[in-house]
């Protein structure tokens, strides 16, 4: 009589959608834990939370010529004429930030430090590490009119701590400054370094010899100049040592000098971190052309092929428009790419497949109230607990817990002289216990997330 | 030389999009806190987290005839012929759950208890409490083949606790069972109760006299029958007292008896909760026709006009297809609707506008390292702290903190004999302090969220 409205009508429709990854609950627990750690760190540093709508006027999105082909448009199945805006799904969190800051400028407090963790969508061809729907986690500081270099200098420390808080191998933060490449070019008489930057960007992939060839054959420079560019790009120091090395290349330019100064400040501020965790690395440039000063990348030990999973930089103006510029500096973490590698590959896992810490056994239907009261007692003290749903024999109830990795099974008293007891399924130890006072070890309270090996 | 790619090109584009609410950061903090509380409660009860992709094949979505006009379709701006699926944004979390459970059936553990907190999209005409993008928080238990009534019985307790954990006025949970209305109709010789249910659904809005008119004039029943229906719908008891009241109406039917029995079990299980927090209320039916047994609603004291912000029920089969049925029972919380009323109206607020607990003053540019080390020390012990960015005079730094509601300003030692000190901006008290041991009162560590009035 009641028809089931939610119906999956044929088998063919439940194949996965390529590029739209979905996790099992125990994997989602890992993803949540990563997002929680990023959030916790951002909040420790005083970044305020922001969430913007998923859609932006299409006009805003396509303004970024290069990415237009990747944009997902949004329309109504049975739209009417009243829809004033053509909409698209955001493909990053920077475009929405720019729009948001201009829209709410009068209500925000500057410097505006915000973090934002949301899904973004790109219609790219899916491949390993490239998704059509994925998480980004962004941290930015936006100034109203101006923004102290101090915020650039603080960022490598935040990146270092952020990466250290994630269950991934040791990471190194790389820093440079766009003014160095630009100024170096200007000092050599080049006022457009686009092609040079593009060539140097390939260093990691194709190596110095091949880049040298590109610089000579395609960009059309002489070998001596190519060598100087390669010399610059090869500079990598764990401290301000890079300053002398740049000077030794014998190129003079104001922009270059300013870039070197700024980078020196940023690298010096990282001196309190473990030696080698932040490097001045002059070959990094970040492909996108909106960075104007400091640029950041990061590499995870043993996973250089993954590329930079935490990167960003300084931009002169987040959202040009009326009034003063909105300069900013920020980084973005490619959470889904990181999870695709480490979670998909099984290198990170949760300690159990459910939040439940205690399964309260159901002795008999008549004593369900007792079991329910026990679970309620445990939950009231913050211990995740659930009652088994049927009075099956204990062996079955224990197996149910075991299969989910639930560490404890609680047995309410069921004899006359008996008291409650709790069994640790790992050791098999069963001890008398009182639901109003018993506590699990701290490490068992909630599932933990660790690298597996 | 470097062009700014992220640009908002004209003023007209930064008007808000109707139906797509966005919060200020201090409001987002409230939203986050609510979502966190829902999540915490779900996990305490052992629900596993799930997140599904935002898009579903359009074919799945439109299968629900009634809602097809509200669906947002998704396409690629420059799509190619390789796109096999037409896609749409999900408009609830039940359709994705149905698809997910069938797709991953072999990898899930049943009974599958999952919670899911995500944005959903509907192209409805925006109005107060109706958005085009909004949060839903769902809790469901899905069985493979069968699902014990015990899960229906547990739900009112979860709803009660969930609503009590939110910073809103006292809420009451209402429960009924679809079999009661159906069976009552069958007992009166009606095999289709659709029109009757639709009329009774309007009781809250138009009152008994008007419903009586609808039943007589439109449905075409005699006054005596209309009175019996209204008598049934008026039954509301805080315990199993409703059983006798239904019996007194003198209608006999198997479905009716089964519905009464099931409802009695569900209501009896709530006996441990404060008296009156769960009511058997026979007029609720839930408009959607996929519920087949227990149905739930809730009302917030003083906000009956808001409608039910936590509702749901039992369904016989979540996703029909090959193999056994997937019965389930669950509820959905309309988080955005709730926030629209209480947060938008200013009734809930965060205790401060930033996570920061301590602003460390910057004495001079030369001692920035000291201030940075102090902030690092505090953060290492979980205290959100940031350094003021410029060595302005202390009055300005204090004002910066005050405007954001940051409770403490830390002054690093800056005289020879001086030690560090910390000032509570609310009392003005300033005391000597050591960054390696000092702690704020627990209530100041993170922003808290409370009802304002």
């Amino acid at each position: 009589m009641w028809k089931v409205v939610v119906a999956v009508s044929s088998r063919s429709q439940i194949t996965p959608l390529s590029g739209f990854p979905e996790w099992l609950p125990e994997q989602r627990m890992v993803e949540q834990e990563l997002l929680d750690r990023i959030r916790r760190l951002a909040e420790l540093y005083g970044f305020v939370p922001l969430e913007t709508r998923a859609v932006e006027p299409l006009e805003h999105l396509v303004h970024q010529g290069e990415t237009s082909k990747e944009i997902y448009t949004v329309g109504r199945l049975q739209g009417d004429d009243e829809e004033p805006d053509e909409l698209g799904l955001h493909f990053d969190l920077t475009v929405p930030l720019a729009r948001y800051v201009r829209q709410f400028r009068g209500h925000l407090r500057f410097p505006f430090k915000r973090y934002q963790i949301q899904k973004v969508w790109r219609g790219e061809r899916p491949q390993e590490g490239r998704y059509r729907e994925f998480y980004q986690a962004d941290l930015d500081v936006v100034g109203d009119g101006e923004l102290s270099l101090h915020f650039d200098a603080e960022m490598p420390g935040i990146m270092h701590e952020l990466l250290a808080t994630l269950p991934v191998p040791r990471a190194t933060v790389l820093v440079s400054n766009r003014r160095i490449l630009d100024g170096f070019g200007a000092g050599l008489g080049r006022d457009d370094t686009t092609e040079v930057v593009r060539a140097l960007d390939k260093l990691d992939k194709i190596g110095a010899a091949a880049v040298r060839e590109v610089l000579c054959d395609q960009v059309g420079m002489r070998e001596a100049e190519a060598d100087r560019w390669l010399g610059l790009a090869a500079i990598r120091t764990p401290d301000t040592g890079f300053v002398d090395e740049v000077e030794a290349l014998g190129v003079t330019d104001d922009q270059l000098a300013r870039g070197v100064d700024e980078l020196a400040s940023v690298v010096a501020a990282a001196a309190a971190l473990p030696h080698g965790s932040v490097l001045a690395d002059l070959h990094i440039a970040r492909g996108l052309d909106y960075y104007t000063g400091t640029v950041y990348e990061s590499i995870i030990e043993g996973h250089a092929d993954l590329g930079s999973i935490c990167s960003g930089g300084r931009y002169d103006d987040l959202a040009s428009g009326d009034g003063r510029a909105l300069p900013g500096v920020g980084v973005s973490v490619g959470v889904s790419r990181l999870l695709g590698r480490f979670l998909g590959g099984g290198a990170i896992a949760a300690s159990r497949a459910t939040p439940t810490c205690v399964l309260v056994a159901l002795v008999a239907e008549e004593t369900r109230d007792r079991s329910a009261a026990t679970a309620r007692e445990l939950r009231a003290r913050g211990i995740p607990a659930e009652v088994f749903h049927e009075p099956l024999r204990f062996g079955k109830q224990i197996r149910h817990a075991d299969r989910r990795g639930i560490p404890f099974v609680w047995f309410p008293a069921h004899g006359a002289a008996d008291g409650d007891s709790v069994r640790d399924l790992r050791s098999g130890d069963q001890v008398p216990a009182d639901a109003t006072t018993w506590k699990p070890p701290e490490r068992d309270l909630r599932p933990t997330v660790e690298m597996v090996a």
Side-chain angles (χ1 to χ4, degrees), chain A residues 35-340:
Chain A
L35 299 178
D36 284 348
R37 290 187 192 183
I38 293 171
R39 172 179 165 191
R40 213 175 301 140
L41 191 85
E43 293 181 351
L44 266 180
Y45 274 89
F47 287 78
V48 298
L50 183 64
E51 182 158 286
T52 55
R53 62 193 189 215
V55 299
E56 295 292 334
L58 202 52
E59 212 183 329
H60 282 192
L61 298 171
V62 296
H63 201 261
Q64 307 221 358
E66 269 202 301
T67 46
S68 64
K69 66 179 176 304
E70 303 169 3
I71 296 173
Y72 277 112
T73 56
V74 170
R76 285 182 56 198
L77 191 57
Q78 297 179 6
D80 47 41
D81 298 340
E82 292 169 48
E83 307 294 324
D85 298 298
E86 279 197 289
L87 303 176
L89 294 173
H90 58 215
F91 53 79
D92 73 2
L93 301 177
T94 307
V95 174
L97 175 66
R99 190 263 314 154
Y100 182 92
V101 170
R102 262 203 75 209
Q103 186 178 332
F104 293 95
R105 193 172 194 158
H107 300 277
L108 303 177
R109 297 176 185 84
F110 293 90
F112 179 57
K113 294 172 67 173
R114 84 85 177 81
Y115 74 93
Q116 188 168 354
I117 303 175
Q118 282 180 256
K119 291 270 182 76
V120 303
W121 294 269
R122 295 185 189 174
E124 296 185 52
R125 189 177 304 275
Q127 47 181 291
E128 208 233 311
R130 289 229 183 267
Y131 304 109
R132 296 186 146 188
E133 173 178 71
F134 56 99
Y135 265 112
Q136 277 199 340
D138 280 23
L139 286 84
D140 286 87
V141 188
V142 180
D144 190 1
E146 56 178 5
L147 185 72
S148 157
L149 186 69
H150 157 65
F151 292 103
D152 298 53
E154 203 181 16
M155 205 51 82
I158 297 176
M159 292 171 70
H160 168 73
E161 217 177 311
L162 191 98
L163 291 161
T165 198
L166 301 180
V168 297
R170 213 176 75 91
T172 307
V173 173
L174 310 178
V175 197
S176 188
N177 191 301
R178 294 290 297 245
R179 295 186 210 282
I180 295 180
L181 289 178
D182 288 348
F184 198 81
L188 289 169
R190 296 190 172 271
D191 38 277
D192 186 354
T193 54
T194 313
E195 278 186 280
V196 181
V197 167
R198 197 171 292 147
L200 294 177
D201 225 23
K202 293 186 188 138
L203 259 175
D204 292 335
K205 277 191 193 154
I206 63 176
V211 170
R212 196 163 191 271
E213 239 178 79
V214 174
L215 289 175
C216 294
D217 299 352
Q218 290 173 31
V219 184
M221 64 173 62
R222 291 158 64 163
E223 295 210 344
E225 189 187 341
D227 285 338
R228 286 170 102 172
W229 280 107
L230 287 169
L232 182 73
I235 294 174
R236 189 182 218 192
T237 67
D239 47 36
T240 53
F242 76 92
V243 178
D244 289 343
E245 296 188 27
V246 174
E247 204 176 305
L249 293 172
V251 174
T252 321
D253 175 79
D254 285 352
Q255 277 296 301
L256 174 61
R258 181 170 166 199
V260 166
D261 275 358
E262 288 186 357
L263 183 57
S265 294
V266 173
V267 171
L273 301 174
H275 190 75
S277 49
V278 174
L279 304 177
D281 184 325
L282 302 197
H283 95 287
I284 72 161
R286 303 304 303 150
L288 285 166
D289 55 1
Y290 60 73
Y291 295 119
T292 50
T294 313
V295 281
Y296 310 101
E297 288 195 359
S298 59
I299 38 171
I300 295 184
E301 212 163 73
H303 297 272
D305 62 311
L306 190 57
S308 177
I309 58 106
C310 178
S311 344
R314 149 80 70 155
Y315 34 87
D316 273 349
D317 194 0
L318 180 67
S320 63
D322 51 345
R324 289 181 295 178
L326 292 163
V329 61
V331 293
S332 181
V333 185
V335 180
S336 295
R337 196 143 48 89
L338 197 144
L339 281 169

Side-chain angles (χ1 to χ4, degrees), chain A residues 355-360 368-388 410 435-438 440 445-446:
Chain A
T356 303
C357 176
V358 180
L359 179 74
V360 180
R368 191 185 279 279
D369 285 355
R370 273 228 49 193
S371 292
T374 300
R376 205 158 47 235
E377 201 67 69
L378 293 169
R379 284 194 298 260
R381 294 188 297 110
I383 303 165
E386 57 183 311
V387 178
F388 191 74
W410 193 280
T436 62
T437 54
W438 178 86
L445 189 60
R446 293 175 186 286

Side-chain angles (χ1 to χ4, degrees), chain A residues 23 27 128 338-348 452:
Chain A
W23 301 115
Q27 295 174 314
E128 208 233 311
L338 197 144
L339 281 169
R341 170 68 58 101
F342 292 99
L343 177 54
I348 319 179
V452 173

